[in-house]
Amino acid sequence: MNDAPDNSASPGTWFRPGFFLGGLLAGIVALAGAGQWAGRHNTHPGTERFHPRISPEGRYSPTVDELCAIVRARCRPDQILVIVGGNSIFNGVGQPPEKLWTLELQKQLGDGFGVVNLALRGAGCTEGATVIAEVLRNEYPRIIYVTNTSPFTPPEPLGVQAYEYIFWEAYYRGLLVDFAPRDEQLNKYVRPPESPLPLVHYLQKDRAALIEIEHFKVVAWLRRLGLRAEVGLDAALKYRDLWNWMGYEHLFTVPSFYTPRWPGWMAARGRLRDEEPDFETMDFTSSERFAPRKTPIEMPIVRGFSERAYTEGGPEGWTLNAPVRNDFLAGAKRAVPDVFKSRTLVMLSRNSPFFFHMLSPAEARRDDLAYRDGAAAWREAGYASAEYGRDFLDEDFGDRTHLTASGGRKLAGITAREITALAERLGYFKEAGK
Amino acid sequence: MNVWWEKISAEWPPALKLWVARGLSVALGLVLAITLHYVLYRMGLPSKPFIYVSF
């Protein structure tokens, strides 16, 4: 430190640049160290899932280290790790925390398995939680990833923008398996321009000189560059881990849709209860839940599950459209590295029978074919797959797609059987017996 | 900028003045470190909040 002991160099000033810089550097190093610690210790005790106020919806974005810490806190190394991903259905919308379907799944699978629900509302089937399964591949060699989707929805490594940060963080930190088909897909989204000229034009704000595709490429390339820099900076300084821990344990600093008013938005996220309503005790009857006014909105969605994929005709009444099948298979092959495909169980989610029974017989036949062929296509791409919900009752659904606690119990039973069979096929029980 | 410092430290022994100055400078550095760290966190949050809609 270049500090004058007799104060003669600058007698009237208190500011010492050397000590200031020392404080700044020491502070940054200490904060980075604290962030490193926080990422390993922010395990969300007492919460079973990401309810809206501790998810990106509530402006709380869990980091990769944090998600891994949550898994480690809930699954012992001697257990078979079951990571549950997928969307709001698997997140358990309509099931209060004590009736959450994954608690039942844990119960049915028994102590040999450790079930962790990392599903996020609105997420695709191969994003968010999938990344964490891949990151933890060496720590938990006996791992099964369970997710849900609808038939012939092509999976993507990047899905909903709100959750893609999880992928990019793991990707740029080198935590994922090298998988060329996925990289090729990512390059299609965000590849660099073929010449530096568009970049110069972009920087000069001469956007009119750019043809649309070049403009897209430059913006995407700059975005990817920014993402890489951001991930690198955060990996070094750990600011997201530290401030997430602060927000979860002590004081949150970001207003959100769910906690818009002061001082409510400052409450530690860990003290906010999971207030998911219970479809079974909500103040509405089944007939109101599936009110006639909702039918014109819901039925096109129900029909849409199979409408695009099939053309009338053929021995079964409907023929699967080849481009739909091919698009799906191409997406499924590049979404997850080959080594994880066999460890991934994709559950195809049916719509409520209340709506299914409003389909014409031909449409119902097409719907059945879509689920049968959809699961077969996942298996052809190397995954395990099954469907659920065909024999469920109206009261097993809280709306068109989300399950009540009774539906959740049925889902848990079907999924537990599929997981056990998959664990058997993967030889996990033999490994445990060694 | 330093009038207040001159005023409060006028009667202090030189050694005390020196150490308080050093302490204040370090503290300012720490405050700036915390501020920068927090600003990076806030800048990393998505600008558009994600509102989930079931479909």
Side-chain angles (χ1 to χ4, degrees), chain B residues 13-51:
Chain B
L16 177 65
K17 199 171 175 176
L18 181 66
W19 281 103
V20 171
R22 285 173 173 175
L24 283 175
S25 299
V26 169
L28 185 67
L30 289 173
V31 167
L32 189 63
I34 293 168
T35 308
L36 280 174
H37 208 253
Y38 179 73
V39 166
L40 284 169
Y41 160 72
R42 284 301 295 262
M43 282 171 62
L45 290 177
S47 51
K48 286 184 209 160
F50 171 58
I51 307 294

Side-chain angles (χ1 to χ4, degrees), chain A residues 110-191:
Chain A
D111 190 53
F113 293 80
V115 178
V116 188
N117 188 337
L118 300 182
L120 293 161
R121 301 186 345 153
C125 66
T126 52
E127 62 177 316
T130 325
V131 173
I132 303 308
E134 198 174 327
V135 170
L136 291 170
R137 63 193 180 276
N138 294 329
E139 225 171 304
Y140 292 92
R142 295 186 305 148
I143 189 168
I144 289 174
Y145 173 66
V146 190
T147 187
N148 77 306
T149 186
S150 52
F152 294 110
T153 302
E156 295 282 348
L158 294 178
V160 177
Q161 199 176 355
Y163 305 132
E164 71 177 44
Y165 76 92
I166 300 172
F167 176 84
W168 290 120
E169 184 183 348
Y171 184 76
Y172 282 130
R173 282 176 62 191
L175 302 174
L176 301 181
V177 175
D178 288 333
F179 184 51
R182 179 168 61 190
D183 289 343
E184 281 166 27
Q185 179 67 8
L186 295 175
N187 285 335
K188 278 185 188 166
Y189 298 141
V190 279
R191 61 186 163 182

Side-chain angles (χ1 to χ4, degrees), chain A residues 298-326:
Chain A
E298 300 287 19
M299 284 313 292
I301 299 174
V302 175
R303 286 191 189 94
F305 272 57
S306 59
E307 200 167 41
R308 197 178 59 89
Y310 287 85
T311 307
E312 213 159 356
E316 295 185 293
W318 296 96
T319 305
L320 180 60
N321 294 330
V324 170
R325 185 175 180 279
N326 294 340

Side-chain angles (χ1 to χ4, degrees), chain A residues 411-431:
Chain A
L411 168 63
I414 296 165
T415 310
R417 281 197 297 280
E418 294 292 333
I419 288 173
T420 308
L422 180 57
E424 185 75 53
R425 288 201 298 278
L426 292 168
Y428 286 175
F429 298 122
K430 281 183 202 158
E431 286 176 39

Side-chain angles (χ1 to χ4, degrees), chain A residues 235-257:
Chain A
L237 302 182
K238 290 288 179 188
Y239 47 87
R240 291 176 54 235
D241 277 311
L242 179 64
W243 295 103
N244 265 10
W245 172 81
M246 180 66 80
Y248 195 87
E249 294 288 338
H250 301 289
L251 178 76
F252 196 58
T253 54
V254 192
S256 75
F257 174 77

